[in-house]
Amino acid sequence: MSTVSESKALHALHRSHEAPISLWRDAGRRFRRHRLAMVGVAILGVMVVAVLAGPFFYRVPINEIDFKDKLKGPSRAHPLGTDDLGQDLLARMLYGGRISMAVGVTSMLIAISIGTLIGATAGYVGGPTDHTLMRVTDLFLSLPGLPLLLLIVYLFRDSLKTWVGPEMGVFLLVVAVIGGLRWMPVARLVRAQFLSLREKEFVEAARGLGAPPLRQVVRHILPNAMGPVLVAGTIDVAAAIIAESSLSFLGLGFPPDIPTWGRILFDAKDNLDFAPHWALFPGAAIFLTVLSINYIGDGLRDALDPRKVLQK
Amino acid sequence: MDERDIRGLLNDVTSGRLSRRAFVQTMVAVGLTAPMAAQMLASAGVAHAQPKAPAFTPTRRGGGGPLRVLWWQAPTLLNPHFATGTKDQDGSRIFYEPLAAFDPDGNVIPILAERTPSLENGDLARDGLSVTWRLKKGVTWHDGKPFTADDVVFNWEYAADPATATVSVGSYRDLDRVEKVDSHTVKVVFKKPTPFWYDAFCGNRGQLIPKHVFEPYKGAKSREAPANVKPVGTGGYRFVDFKPGDTLRAEINPNYHVPNRPFFDAVEMKGGGDAASAARAVLQTGEYDYAWNMQVEDEILRRLEQAGKGRVEIWSTGACEHIQVNFTDPWKEVDGERSSAKTTHPTLSDPAVRQALNLLVDRASVQEQIYGRQGQTTANYLNAPSRFRSPNTKWEFNVDKANQTLDQAGWKRGADGIRAKDGKRLKFVYQTSINAPRQKTQAIVKQACAKAGIDIEIKSVVASVYFSSDPANPDTYSHFYTDLQMYTNGPGAPDAQLYMEQFTTWQVASKDNKWASRNITRYRNEECDRLWKSATTEMDPVKRAAMFIRINDILIQNVVVIPVLWRSGVGAATAKLRGMDLTGWDSTLWHLPYWHKA
Amino acid sequence: MYRYFIRRILIAIPVIFGISIVLFTILALAPGDPFEELATNPNVPPEVRANLRAQFGLDDPLPVRYVQWLASMIRGNWGFSFVSRVDVDTLILQRLPTTIIVLGAALLLGVAVALPIGTLSALRPYSIFDQIATTFAFIGFSLPTFFTGLVFILLFSIYLDWLPFIYRADIDATGWRWWWEHLRQSIMPVAVLGLFQGATLTRFVRSAVLDVARLDFVNTARAKGLSEWITVVKHVIRNALIPVVTLLALQVPTIFGGAIITEQIFRVPGIGSLLISSILANDTPVIMAITFVFSCLVVLSNLIADLLYGWLDPRISYR
């Protein structure tokens, strides 16, 4: 194998040993220099502030029914227009956005944490552990979604409601269900990366130098395996926001009168040719959330890439 | 107008002093309207009106090209005795026919029968204990075998056999016997006087299957019959191909028993998808000729109609969307069940609370904004056939009056605006199935209740769970483990007897009967029980109608149910399609051989 | 490798067995039954529903039902559908060709879009091309298929009137017209599904190529003086294929599982629409058969993926 890469790897190893704090500081600086990542932070920040603080400033009620004003496009009274019951879309988007964004991000974090943990363990340890974990993954992949969800509603809804209260109970249930059923692709992807990376020169080098397994994984393999995880993460945010809306059709999600973005999008679909604004805004909100999270992810990866240090 | 007045008018008609038409018009005027007035006339000895002559009389069979129809829930099997829903009944109806069908006014129209039994032609016994059916001669099954009285008798044996486990068993098991009089005459004998004699062999559950094909598969072997998905009937179209849940294809029957019918050369029934896109395929692109059950908001249908390619068809049915009030306590468990008949509801048992709720349902908004042409506001639970519709009830939406009612009854608003009395708060869980118009109705009711200091928690259950018969699931409509719930039901046949049995004491749903009995509100009233029992054997249609009307009035006065909407049937048809004669009492396709394009 | 393969197949048997127990339990415990429409019909006596439950064995204890199912499955009897009373294998076979054609074409389209676009994006990260591709990919998976499908219908069927939006498996035409009609009606479902998968896959390909392109051996290859093209094809793509193969192994079984929403929108009579209608009708034998075959395919395709890893990167050892 090439001596160049070994020496690079050694160098990197060496460096990280001696200056872990400056590594993080470096990463922070590189992240701030990443233009798109900063754009992502800005967009996401504005949206988070909007859904958190918005309802305190924009005090139009979300469920005020006014049939005279139904299906109206954006106007001064209703900046984003109204739906078919004449309810104000901006108020609904702000209120529902809180839930949609929280569900999207939390479920994504659950999915990629479980997925990465299982995939990394299986890929690094190998042998019977790998077999067992991957067969569990197969099992989860083959579960039929809809009947399983109905079963979960049936078994847990009422007990969770009494245990942590209706709002929080539903939230926990929703993120657990979405996250718990979406980690398998991440696990398979991470494992595949690990199988390949495990045998690469720079890991062998680290192993040869006596780095303990956990360190090998966290410092050397994982950063190089993060690519698919970040992609899966951004896709999962979108998928979770949409999946939440389909859950409420099973009686599992939030009650139907809570206007999450996916829900508004679904309600709007049959009126698409008559009232396009109704679908446009929630669609755009999901798109912007996912896009900004993706740019932040890209920025993080570039900032944390250990080899970038050498190339600069 | 009471029973005596109606009787007087009937006498006038029989004696010729009043025309048939004027009688019907008088009934319309008093709100006890038209269609089934025909039934009253019939039993008073006045002949049935001839069904109106079709405007189009073809001179030859066929030549109409293919008819393409969309059933967004596709048929899954084609044996009418096993039809689990209208989709299967409709799919079967392309091939099978009953002795008689029900037209839009609920009249009994002979199909495979020569004529409609009546008192004056002597086919209907005066004591109500038997009815004689004379079968049309020269009818053949699609495989060429003749249709005879044996087939009719066989259908009774087949459907009534518990081992066959047919869905139509309810219409056949209580018949004393079905006798073959000669090759084309059968006599149906009842165990007791039966005013509702037009049940067996009529309408959807009366579709007749051939004896020579199904005989080997009677009883427990019924499932194995190949003809369950390859029908051999007498209808205007015969079987070509069937993919359950997707496509059903049929071709013209060259030997159909009505001359010069049918018009179309083939029928293709396509399934799947959703109602909104089915409406688009008929109204906007014209890819299909007819789409079934347009559960789409009227607003959207109106906009789609503007394309000019088709029109929305609306017809009257008996279905009533209504809110049920729980008379038992759904939050207390007694002997392993909630909503036990041993309890009473802590707050809804107060008539004032129920009256207030009745005032808080804004039926006009629900009708105008959600259902549009697809329903009418109503104060009655029993709306049709119209001879059973009560003229004594009315409804109003009045938040102030609801507030007054509650104030007077001592329900005081708390700090959070919710009313309470003796520590019991007016907080109700209101459940229904997941279906967009229902969730909107819930939102409208919730908003009005909030203004009156009643807190409503909305709950929605996926339809396949809500309407299931699983005794272990607490979310079904029959468990009714909430304070209020909403769904639609109606008398499927042009008679109210089975429909009104839902409020009798012996039908109270409970753990003991696995929640299979049909009194869901658990409301008990001796007068209802007594009225219903007498109605089952009362042969005088006027007295009988008065009994059902009285039960309805008791339900409304006591706010056992809050009717929201009297729903109509809705379909979409291409602009040129004619002759459907859509009815609320029978299959959409009951008149299929007469469908044509102008 | 041969021994590894045999061993994996042997392990797969108890795994599939175990999966079948879990599937069966979930389906048996999930609420609902097939008689929803009988419920609100006052003319159907309640005993009918009770009788049917008993006749279909829905009231038997769970282990009994499982053993019965397993015994007949081993004999090749897949059971019969509660709602159509037809054998389950007949129902599935009726729908298999359409499913394979439509979903297979969609998957091919997705891969055909994703591989070149993803690779090009990664080789020139943050270029104009990459930015445009990224934006479209994000629109692609931010919008659910129920939405994009409807946009397609509105545009191509209703405003332009170019394509039919109701898929008919039986087209009464022959020769060229038959092919032409099938092509026309397949365009929209294949496009909706293919572009959705393509959008997802593009992101993964881009990320995989980006990762590999940065690895040292690629620099080495470049340093050895290999041309850029050969470097890309021989070293980058081959190594980047590992995550792509993983994803395809996850995607291929879904061809059998069907694309529920897309099939529903365009009324494609595929397995997805059979599955969803069976689930909504609680037609357990059909759901069980479909999910069971699906899980066998999951196990099998993941096994194939594991074997392909070794071929793509010979250093991966089988243990």
Side-chain angles (χ1 to χ4, degrees), chain B residues 76 84 173 223 243-244 246 268 270 272 274 277 284 464 469 473 477 516, chain C residues 31 33 37 39 46-47 49 80 84 95 158 167-168 170 264 267 269 280:
Chain B
T76 49
T84 45
R173 62 175 174 184
R223 185 187 79 71
K243 292 197 175 73
D246 174 35
E268 180 189 302
K270 168 81 184 171
D274 61 306
S277 69
Q284 267 188 321
S464 63
S469 60
N473 195 305
Y477 79 106
Chain C
D33 70 20
E37 280 207 60
E47 308 88 87
R49 287 188 279 157
F80 68 93
S84 53
R95 291 174 177 244
I158 289 168
Y167 191 100
R168 300 165 63 223
D170 311 284
Q264 190 84 356
R267 295 178 164 78
L280 292 178

mmCIF file of all heavy atoms in Angstrom, chain B residues 76 84 173 223 243-244 246 268 270 272 274 277 284 464 469 473 477 516, chain C residues 31 33 37 39 46-47 49 80 84 95 158 167-168 170 264 267 269 280:
data_model
loop_
_atom_site.group_PDB
_atom_site.id
_atom_site.type_symbol
_atom_site.label_atom_id
_atom_site.label_comp_id
_atom_site.label_asym_id
_atom_site.label_seq_id
_atom_site.Cartn_x
_atom_site.Cartn_y
_atom_site.Cartn_z
ATOM 1 N N THR B 76 -65.023 -7.386 -4.866
ATOM 2 C CA THR B 76 -64.033 -8.429 -4.615
ATOM 3 C C THR B 76 -64.617 -9.823 -4.776
ATOM 4 O O THR B 76 -63.875 -10.783 -4.873
ATOM 5 C CB THR B 76 -63.439 -8.299 -3.204
ATOM 6 O OG1 THR B 76 -64.520 -8.161 -2.284
ATOM 7 C CG2 THR B 76 -62.554 -7.077 -3.102
ATOM 8 N N THR B 84 -70.256 -8.309 0.850
ATOM 9 C CA THR B 84 -70.005 -7.656 2.130
ATOM 10 C C THR B 84 -70.283 -6.171 2.073
ATOM 11 O O THR B 84 -70.261 -5.503 3.084
ATOM 12 C CB THR B 84 -68.565 -7.872 2.601
ATOM 13 O OG1 THR B 84 -67.715 -7.646 1.497
ATOM 14 C CG2 THR B 84 -68.366 -9.256 3.137
ATOM 15 N N ARG B 173 -84.221 -16.387 6.681
ATOM 16 C CA ARG B 173 -84.325 -17.426 7.707
ATOM 17 C C ARG B 173 -85.679 -17.420 8.405
ATOM 18 O O ARG B 173 -86.094 -18.438 8.939
ATOM 19 C CB ARG B 173 -83.207 -17.282 8.731
ATOM 20 C CG ARG B 173 -83.300 -15.963 9.439
ATOM 21 C CD ARG B 173 -82.323 -15.783 10.530
ATOM 22 N NE ARG B 173 -82.496 -14.390 10.960
ATOM 23 C CZ ARG B 173 -81.767 -13.804 11.867
ATOM 24 N NH1 ARG B 173 -80.826 -14.476 12.458
ATOM 25 N NH2 ARG B 173 -81.998 -12.564 12.208
ATOM 26 N N ARG B 223 -67.801 -21.769 -0.028
ATOM 27 C CA ARG B 223 -66.656 -20.983 -0.431
ATOM 28 C C ARG B 223 -65.999 -21.515 -1.693
ATOM 29 O O ARG B 223 -65.374 -20.771 -2.450
ATOM 30 C CB ARG B 223 -65.620 -20.982 0.692
ATOM 31 C CG ARG B 223 -64.441 -20.099 0.415
ATOM 32 C CD ARG B 223 -63.360 -20.244 1.436
ATOM 33 N NE ARG B 223 -62.521 -21.425 1.241
ATOM 34 C CZ ARG B 223 -61.646 -21.557 0.256
ATOM 35 N NH1 ARG B 223 -61.527 -20.631 -0.646
ATOM 36 N NH2 ARG B 223 -60.894 -22.634 0.162
ATOM 37 N N LYS B 243 -60.959 -9.566 -12.127
ATOM 38 C CA LYS B 243 -59.779 -9.539 -11.256
ATOM 39 C C LYS B 243 -60.225 -8.871 -9.968
ATOM 40 O O LYS B 243 -60.438 -7.654 -9.941
ATOM 41 C CB LYS B 243 -58.654 -8.742 -11.905
ATOM 42 C CG LYS B 243 -58.075 -9.413 -13.137
ATOM 43 C CD LYS B 243 -56.718 -8.816 -13.484
ATOM 44 C CE LYS B 243 -56.060 -9.556 -14.628
ATOM 45 N NZ LYS B 243 -56.708 -9.250 -15.917
ATOM 46 N N PRO B 244 -60.385 -9.642 -8.893
ATOM 47 C CA PRO B 244 -60.935 -9.060 -7.658
ATOM 48 C C PRO B 244 -60.184 -7.797 -7.246
ATOM 49 O O PRO B 244 -58.962 -7.767 -7.260
ATOM 50 C CB PRO B 244 -60.735 -10.179 -6.627
ATOM 51 C CG PRO B 244 -60.673 -11.424 -7.430
ATOM 52 C CD PRO B 244 -60.045 -11.054 -8.740
ATOM 53 N N ASP B 246 -59.931 -5.125 -8.841
ATOM 54 C CA ASP B 246 -59.405 -4.293 -9.922
ATOM 55 C C ASP B 246 -60.419 -4.108 -11.060
ATOM 56 O O ASP B 246 -61.066 -3.080 -11.137
ATOM 57 C CB ASP B 246 -58.097 -4.900 -10.439
ATOM 58 C CG ASP B 246 -57.566 -4.175 -11.656
ATOM 59 O OD1 ASP B 246 -57.726 -2.946 -11.714
ATOM 60 O OD2 ASP B 246 -56.995 -4.829 -12.546
ATOM 61 N N GLU B 268 -67.304 -2.339 -18.552
ATOM 62 C CA GLU B 268 -66.046 -2.523 -17.836
ATOM 63 C C GLU B 268 -66.138 -1.749 -16.536
ATOM 64 O O GLU B 268 -66.377 -0.552 -16.528
ATOM 65 C CB GLU B 268 -64.880 -1.993 -18.669
ATOM 66 C CG GLU B 268 -63.549 -2.176 -17.953
ATOM 67 C CD GLU B 268 -62.411 -1.459 -18.664
ATOM 68 O OE1 GLU B 268 -62.185 -1.760 -19.853
ATOM 69 O OE2 GLU B 268 -61.761 -0.617 -18.030
ATOM 70 N N LYS B 270 -64.058 -0.594 -13.403
ATOM 71 C CA LYS B 270 -62.675 -0.485 -12.931
ATOM 72 C C LYS B 270 -62.683 -0.010 -11.483
ATOM 73 O O LYS B 270 -63.479 0.864 -11.124
ATOM 74 C CB LYS B 270 -61.942 0.516 -13.833
ATOM 75 C CG LYS B 270 -60.598 0.988 -13.341
ATOM 76 C CD LYS B 270 -59.496 -0.002 -13.629
ATOM 77 C CE LYS B 270 -58.170 0.477 -13.028
ATOM 78 N NZ LYS B 270 -57.132 -0.545 -13.095
ATOM 79 N N GLY B 272 -60.458 0.801 -7.579
ATOM 80 C CA GLY B 272 -59.238 1.338 -6.993
ATOM 81 C C GLY B 272 -59.218 2.854 -7.002
ATOM 82 O O GLY B 272 -60.091 3.504 -7.564
ATOM 83 N N ASP B 274 -59.187 6.799 -5.512
ATOM 84 C CA ASP B 274 -59.990 7.551 -4.567
ATOM 85 C C ASP B 274 -61.126 8.236 -5.293
ATOM 86 O O ASP B 274 -61.133 8.327 -6.527
ATOM 87 C CB ASP B 274 -59.127 8.591 -3.854
ATOM 88 C CG ASP B 274 -58.530 9.577 -4.829
ATOM 89 O OD1 ASP B 274 -57.876 9.128 -5.781
ATOM 90 O OD2 ASP B 274 -58.750 10.786 -4.663
ATOM 91 N N SER B 277 -60.365 11.543 -7.662
ATOM 92 C CA SER B 277 -59.802 11.370 -8.997
ATOM 93 C C SER B 277 -60.790 10.629 -9.886
ATOM 94 O O SER B 277 -60.794 10.829 -11.102
ATOM 95 C CB SER B 277 -58.457 10.660 -8.932
ATOM 96 O OG SER B 277 -58.611 9.336 -8.544
ATOM 97 N N GLN B 284 -64.011 15.646 -15.767
ATOM 98 C CA GLN B 284 -63.022 16.532 -16.398
ATOM 99 C C GLN B 284 -62.420 15.961 -17.672
ATOM 100 O O GLN B 284 -62.217 16.683 -18.638
ATOM 101 C CB GLN B 284 -61.897 16.849 -15.407
ATOM 102 C CG GLN B 284 -62.151 18.131 -14.638
ATOM 103 C CD GLN B 284 -60.951 18.526 -13.815
ATOM 104 O OE1 GLN B 284 -60.274 17.691 -13.231
ATOM 105 N NE2 GLN B 284 -60.659 19.816 -13.762
ATOM 106 N N SER B 464 -61.844 1.109 9.206
ATOM 107 C CA SER B 464 -61.867 -0.353 9.252
ATOM 108 C C SER B 464 -61.847 -0.859 10.688
ATOM 109 O O SER B 464 -62.258 -1.990 10.955
ATOM 110 C CB SER B 464 -60.705 -0.930 8.447
ATOM 111 O OG SER B 464 -59.485 -0.539 9.026
ATOM 112 N N SER B 469 -66.263 -5.642 13.946
ATOM 113 C CA SER B 469 -67.087 -6.320 14.942
ATOM 114 C C SER B 469 -66.211 -7.004 15.986
ATOM 115 O O SER B 469 -66.670 -7.874 16.701
ATOM 116 C CB SER B 469 -67.971 -7.355 14.245
ATOM 117 O OG SER B 469 -67.156 -8.299 13.593
ATOM 118 N N ASN B 473 -61.837 -4.939 20.652
ATOM 119 C CA ASN B 473 -61.357 -3.598 20.372
ATOM 120 C C ASN B 473 -62.287 -2.536 20.939
ATOM 121 O O ASN B 473 -63.451 -2.469 20.574
ATOM 122 C CB ASN B 473 -61.217 -3.411 18.865
ATOM 123 C CG ASN B 473 -60.397 -2.191 18.541
ATOM 124 O OD1 ASN B 473 -60.711 -1.089 19.002
ATOM 125 N ND2 ASN B 473 -59.340 -2.380 17.802
ATOM 126 N N TYR B 477 -67.561 1.341 16.946
ATOM 127 C CA TYR B 477 -68.734 2.170 17.190
ATOM 128 C C TYR B 477 -69.698 1.464 18.137
ATOM 129 O O TYR B 477 -70.421 2.109 18.884
ATOM 130 C CB TYR B 477 -69.431 2.504 15.870
ATOM 131 C CG TYR B 477 -70.285 1.387 15.330
ATOM 132 C CD1 TYR B 477 -71.668 1.451 15.385
ATOM 133 C CD2 TYR B 477 -69.693 0.243 14.806
ATOM 134 C CE1 TYR B 477 -72.449 0.398 14.927
ATOM 135 C CE2 TYR B 477 -70.468 -0.796 14.352
ATOM 136 C CZ TYR B 477 -71.845 -0.722 14.416
ATOM 137 O OH TYR B 477 -72.609 -1.764 13.987
ATOM 138 N N ALA B 516 -72.557 -7.084 19.768
ATOM 139 C CA ALA B 516 -73.091 -7.338 18.434
ATOM 140 C C ALA B 516 -74.524 -6.841 18.319
ATOM 141 O O ALA B 516 -75.056 -6.736 17.226
ATOM 142 C CB ALA B 516 -73.028 -8.827 18.112
ATOM 143 N N PRO C 31 -56.037 -4.587 15.380
ATOM 144 C CA PRO C 31 -57.495 -4.500 15.503
ATOM 145 C C PRO C 31 -58.196 -4.484 14.145
ATOM 146 O O PRO C 31 -57.588 -4.205 13.131
ATOM 147 C CB PRO C 31 -57.686 -3.161 16.214
ATOM 148 C CG PRO C 31 -56.476 -2.370 15.874
ATOM 149 C CD PRO C 31 -55.360 -3.346 15.721
ATOM 150 N N ASP C 33 -61.686 -6.189 11.651
ATOM 151 C CA ASP C 33 -62.017 -7.441 10.985
ATOM 152 C C ASP C 33 -62.626 -7.147 9.617
ATOM 153 O O ASP C 33 -62.868 -5.995 9.267
ATOM 154 C CB ASP C 33 -62.928 -8.319 11.859
ATOM 155 C CG ASP C 33 -64.324 -7.760 12.008
ATOM 156 O OD1 ASP C 33 -64.740 -6.939 11.195
ATOM 157 O OD2 ASP C 33 -65.008 -8.175 12.957
ATOM 158 N N GLU C 37 -68.384 -3.275 6.428
ATOM 159 C CA GLU C 37 -69.579 -2.750 5.776
ATOM 160 C C GLU C 37 -70.857 -3.424 6.258
ATOM 161 O O GLU C 37 -71.946 -2.885 6.075
ATOM 162 C CB GLU C 37 -69.455 -2.902 4.264
ATOM 163 C CG GLU C 37 -68.603 -1.818 3.663
ATOM 164 C CD GLU C 37 -68.979 -1.563 2.223
ATOM 165 O OE1 GLU C 37 -70.141 -1.209 1.986
ATOM 166 O OE2 GLU C 37 -68.123 -1.765 1.354
ATOM 167 N N ALA C 39 -71.516 -3.807 9.228
ATOM 168 C CA ALA C 39 -71.839 -3.296 10.552
ATOM 169 C C ALA C 39 -73.012 -2.331 10.560
ATOM 170 O O ALA C 39 -73.921 -2.452 11.373
ATOM 171 C CB ALA C 39 -70.602 -2.625 11.152
ATOM 172 N N PRO C 46 -76.614 -9.361 13.396
ATOM 173 C CA PRO C 46 -75.277 -9.426 13.986
ATOM 174 C C PRO C 46 -74.700 -10.839 13.992
ATOM 175 O O PRO C 46 -73.487 -11.009 13.890
ATOM 176 C CB PRO C 46 -75.485 -8.937 15.423
ATOM 177 C CG PRO C 46 -76.826 -8.328 15.468
ATOM 178 C CD PRO C 46 -77.599 -8.771 14.294
ATOM 179 N N GLU C 47 -75.579 -11.851 14.048
ATOM 180 C CA GLU C 47 -75.065 -13.227 14.085
ATOM 181 C C GLU C 47 -74.281 -13.548 12.823
ATOM 182 O O GLU C 47 -73.406 -14.408 12.837
ATOM 183 C CB GLU C 47 -76.192 -14.261 14.200
ATOM 184 C CG GLU C 47 -77.172 -14.046 15.308
ATOM 185 C CD GLU C 47 -78.312 -13.157 14.867
ATOM 186 O OE1 GLU C 47 -79.309 -13.649 14.323
ATOM 187 O OE2 GLU C 47 -78.175 -11.934 15.070
ATOM 188 N N ARG C 49 -72.165 -11.738 11.288
ATOM 189 C CA ARG C 49 -70.765 -11.391 11.496
ATOM 190 C C ARG C 49 -70.091 -12.391 12.431
ATOM 191 O O ARG C 49 -68.970 -12.818 12.182
ATOM 192 C CB ARG C 49 -70.659 -9.971 12.054
ATOM 193 C CG ARG C 49 -70.952 -8.922 11.004
ATOM 194 C CD ARG C 49 -70.646 -7.543 11.515
ATOM 195 N NE ARG C 49 -71.703 -7.007 12.349
ATOM 196 C CZ ARG C 49 -71.520 -6.061 13.242
ATOM 197 N NH1 ARG C 49 -70.322 -5.576 13.445
ATOM 198 N NH2 ARG C 49 -72.522 -5.616 13.959
ATOM 199 N N PHE C 80 -57.010 -18.684 1.570
ATOM 200 C CA PHE C 80 -57.910 -17.960 0.677
ATOM 201 C C PHE C 80 -58.259 -16.618 1.289
ATOM 202 O O PHE C 80 -58.211 -16.425 2.493
ATOM 203 C CB PHE C 80 -59.177 -18.777 0.405
ATOM 204 C CG PHE C 80 -60.073 -18.931 1.601
ATOM 205 C CD1 PHE C 80 -61.113 -18.029 1.807
ATOM 206 C CD2 PHE C 80 -59.879 -19.947 2.510
ATOM 207 C CE1 PHE C 80 -61.930 -18.154 2.915
ATOM 208 C CE2 PHE C 80 -60.694 -20.073 3.624
ATOM 209 C CZ PHE C 80 -61.715 -19.180 3.830
ATOM 210 N N SER C 84 -62.608 -11.978 -0.941
ATOM 211 C CA SER C 84 -63.036 -12.429 -2.267
ATOM 212 C C SER C 84 -63.176 -13.951 -2.350
ATOM 213 O O SER C 84 -63.599 -14.455 -3.376
ATOM 214 C CB SER C 84 -62.116 -11.905 -3.356
ATOM 215 O OG SER C 84 -60.795 -12.208 -3.066
ATOM 216 N N ARG C 95 -51.640 -10.009 -10.186
ATOM 217 C CA ARG C 95 -51.119 -8.651 -10.111
ATOM 218 C C ARG C 95 -49.620 -8.556 -10.285
ATOM 219 O O ARG C 95 -49.081 -7.462 -10.409
ATOM 220 C CB ARG C 95 -51.509 -8.048 -8.764
ATOM 221 C CG ARG C 95 -52.993 -7.832 -8.730
ATOM 222 C CD ARG C 95 -53.450 -7.385 -7.409
ATOM 223 N NE ARG C 95 -54.885 -7.129 -7.439
ATOM 224 C CZ ARG C 95 -55.402 -5.929 -7.240
ATOM 225 N NH1 ARG C 95 -54.630 -4.905 -7.034
ATOM 226 N NH2 ARG C 95 -56.702 -5.778 -7.235
ATOM 227 N N ILE C 158 -55.280 16.573 -17.508
ATOM 228 C CA ILE C 158 -56.423 17.472 -17.504
ATOM 229 C C ILE C 158 -56.167 18.728 -18.324
ATOM 230 O O ILE C 158 -56.945 19.044 -19.210
ATOM 231 C CB ILE C 158 -56.860 17.754 -16.057
ATOM 232 C CG1 ILE C 158 -57.489 16.463 -15.528
ATOM 233 C CG2 ILE C 158 -57.857 18.900 -15.991
ATOM 234 C CD1 ILE C 158 -57.729 16.409 -14.077
ATOM 235 N N TYR C 167 -54.975 3.541 -15.053
ATOM 236 C CA TYR C 167 -54.220 2.433 -15.623
ATOM 237 C C TYR C 167 -55.135 1.244 -15.817
ATOM 238 O O TYR C 167 -55.807 0.817 -14.890
ATOM 239 C CB TYR C 167 -53.084 2.077 -14.673
ATOM 240 C CG TYR C 167 -52.071 1.133 -15.229
ATOM 241 C CD1 TYR C 167 -50.853 1.602 -15.714
ATOM 242 C CD2 TYR C 167 -52.314 -0.232 -15.278
ATOM 243 C CE1 TYR C 167 -49.917 0.735 -16.220
ATOM 244 C CE2 TYR C 167 -51.375 -1.094 -15.795
ATOM 245 C CZ TYR C 167 -50.173 -0.610 -16.264
ATOM 246 O OH TYR C 167 -49.241 -1.473 -16.770
ATOM 247 N N ARG C 168 -55.195 0.727 -17.023
ATOM 248 C CA ARG C 168 -56.049 -0.440 -17.287
ATOM 249 C C ARG C 168 -55.169 -1.599 -17.706
ATOM 250 O O ARG C 168 -54.492 -1.522 -18.728
ATOM 251 C CB ARG C 168 -57.060 -0.112 -18.372
ATOM 252 C CG ARG C 168 -57.973 1.044 -17.987
ATOM 253 C CD ARG C 168 -58.713 1.601 -19.175
ATOM 254 N NE ARG C 168 -59.594 0.597 -19.755
ATOM 255 C CZ ARG C 168 -59.711 0.416 -21.063
ATOM 256 N NH1 ARG C 168 -59.022 1.142 -21.904
ATOM 257 N NH2 ARG C 168 -60.530 -0.504 -21.520
ATOM 258 N N ASP C 170 -56.144 -4.536 -18.709
ATOM 259 C CA ASP C 170 -56.644 -5.191 -19.922
ATOM 260 C C ASP C 170 -56.973 -4.108 -20.929
ATOM 261 O O ASP C 170 -57.952 -3.390 -20.779
ATOM 262 C CB ASP C 170 -57.961 -5.937 -19.661
ATOM 263 C CG ASP C 170 -57.867 -6.815 -18.449
ATOM 264 O OD1 ASP C 170 -57.246 -7.866 -18.556
ATOM 265 O OD2 ASP C 170 -58.419 -6.427 -17.392
ATOM 266 N N GLN C 264 -52.260 3.613 -5.940
ATOM 267 C CA GLN C 264 -53.591 4.093 -5.595
ATOM 268 C C GLN C 264 -53.986 5.266 -6.492
ATOM 269 O O GLN C 264 -55.089 5.309 -7.024
ATOM 270 C CB GLN C 264 -53.567 4.523 -4.122
ATOM 271 C CG GLN C 264 -54.901 4.827 -3.525
ATOM 272 C CD GLN C 264 -55.577 3.565 -3.035
ATOM 273 O OE1 GLN C 264 -55.072 2.474 -3.205
ATOM 274 N NE2 GLN C 264 -56.739 3.717 -2.445
ATOM 275 N N ARG C 267 -54.419 4.062 -10.072
ATOM 276 C CA ARG C 267 -55.205 2.830 -10.132
ATOM 277 C C ARG C 267 -54.432 1.718 -10.853
ATOM 278 O O ARG C 267 -54.992 0.999 -11.669
ATOM 279 C CB ARG C 267 -56.530 3.071 -10.837
ATOM 280 C CG ARG C 267 -57.423 4.018 -10.076
ATOM 281 C CD ARG C 267 -58.692 4.272 -10.829
ATOM 282 N NE ARG C 267 -59.706 4.873 -9.972
ATOM 283 C CZ ARG C 267 -59.716 6.150 -9.625
ATOM 284 N NH1 ARG C 267 -58.760 6.939 -10.022
ATOM 285 N NH2 ARG C 267 -60.673 6.622 -8.864
ATOM 286 N N PRO C 269 -53.180 -1.766 -10.999
ATOM 287 C CA PRO C 269 -53.566 -2.959 -10.242
ATOM 288 C C PRO C 269 -52.350 -3.771 -9.843
ATOM 289 O O PRO C 269 -52.142 -4.870 -10.326
ATOM 290 C CB PRO C 269 -54.464 -3.722 -11.212
ATOM 291 C CG PRO C 269 -54.017 -3.297 -12.566
ATOM 292 C CD PRO C 269 -53.459 -1.905 -12.436
ATOM 293 N N LEU C 280 -56.916 -2.533 4.629
ATOM 294 C CA LEU C 280 -58.090 -1.768 5.040
ATOM 295 C C LEU C 280 -59.278 -2.678 5.283
ATOM 296 O O LEU C 280 -60.146 -2.387 6.091
ATOM 297 C CB LEU C 280 -58.434 -0.718 3.980
ATOM 298 C CG LEU C 280 -57.394 0.390 3.862
ATOM 299 C CD1 LEU C 280 -57.765 1.361 2.765
ATOM 300 C CD2 LEU C 280 -57.234 1.131 5.180
#
